[in-house]
Amino acid sequence: MARQAERRAATTEAILTAARRLFGTQGFAAATTMDEIAEGASVAKGAVYHHFKTKEAVFEAVFDQVSRDLVVEIDRTARAEKDVLAAMVAGTQHYFTATAKGPTGQIILRDGPAVLGWERWREIDARHFGGKLPRAIAAAMEAGLIARQPVEPLARLLLGAVTEAAVACAVRADIARAGAEYARAFKSLVEALRVRE
């Protein structure tokens, strides 16, 4: 029984690895097929359908995985900062940079909302990057860095700004410059919240 579970897990991992590479480089639409995913994973197409009923289901699992990996990177960046507000700024700058280019941007920003729909995209994001912002804001209030106020509206406003900025970065030819500009603007927003002594 344990060996069967291990085989299942290995097959699922091979499928997700192949799908992540294909979705990241080719996109979700007609360019990536279940046949290609099966071939990339070195499994039969039936095995892909056994684990994932649709290409959308494969994509959702990949999206969740990429989102989780991105948050690990963001956490590493944010930990080096002096306080929670500085960590929010550094983490958001990393988010802009990572989602504005390459496979991560393709999966999270270009295809994510279109394939999953905004509601499902937000639900998954709330488990990862989107969920970190309300906790960071609450921590900043606890530390006396920003004035106490309802957390959810402020978090939604800031998250909306970050998401819009990341989407804007993703379509710019000068991604690095755009990301730096938006990161500076986000820093200004966050620093304006800081309680002055």
Side-chain angles (χ1 to χ4, degrees):
M1 194 70 143
R3 293 190 67 182
Q4 186 178 8
E6 287 172 10
R7 279 196 305 273
R8 254 194 320 270
T11 301
T12 299
E13 186 57 36
I15 292 166
L16 291 177
T17 299
R20 183 172 178 163
R21 181 180 51 76
L22 290 165
F23 290 143
T25 56
Q26 299 178 173
F28 175 84
T32 300
T33 66
M34 291 292 259
D35 287 322
E36 283 181 298
I37 293 169
E39 184 180 323
S42 299
V43 299
K45 185 169 148 182
V48 178
Y49 279 109
H50 175 74
H51 292 275
F52 301 96
K53 299 298 179 210
T54 63
K55 187 168 82 164
E56 289 79 6
V58 178
F59 181 84
E60 183 171 323
V62 166
F63 180 88
D64 188 64
Q65 188 181 67
V66 171
S67 297
R68 186 175 55 246
D69 291 349
L70 178 56
V71 164
V72 169
E73 293 173 22
I74 288 169
D75 283 347
R76 247 191 316 264
T77 300
R79 265 189 235 114
E81 297 302 322
K82 64 179 177 158
D83 65 33
V84 141
L85 293 181
M88 282 173 54
V89 170
T92 300
Q93 182 172 10
H94 188 97
Y95 179 84
F96 287 156
T97 302
T99 58
K101 63 179 182 189
T104 300
Q106 182 67 45
I107 292 165
I108 290 183
L109 291 182
R110 291 181 193 93
D111 285 337
V115 175
L116 302 171
W118 275 109
E119 193 61 34
R120 185 66 181 140
W121 185 92
R122 281 188 189 102
E123 283 175 25
I124 296 170
D125 184 61
R127 294 196 306 253
H128 303 293
F129 180 77
K132 295 188 83 52
L133 208 50
R135 291 190 298 273
I137 290 168
M141 287 179 196
E142 280 297 313
L145 297 173
I146 61 177
R148 289 197 178 273
Q149 57 191 288
V151 171
E152 192 206 352
L154 182 57
R156 282 191 179 269
L157 286 168
L158 290 175
L159 188 57
V162 170
T163 303
E164 181 60 30
V167 170
C169 285
V171 298
R172 293 264 301 262
D174 55 345
I175 291 168
R177 182 174 167 199
E181 289 170 358
Y182 282 109
R184 278 192 300 275
F186 184 76
K187 181 177 181 177
S188 295
L189 282 175
V190 170
E191 287 299 324
L193 296 171
R194 189 181 290 275
V195 171
R196 304 291 174 211
E197 294 183 13

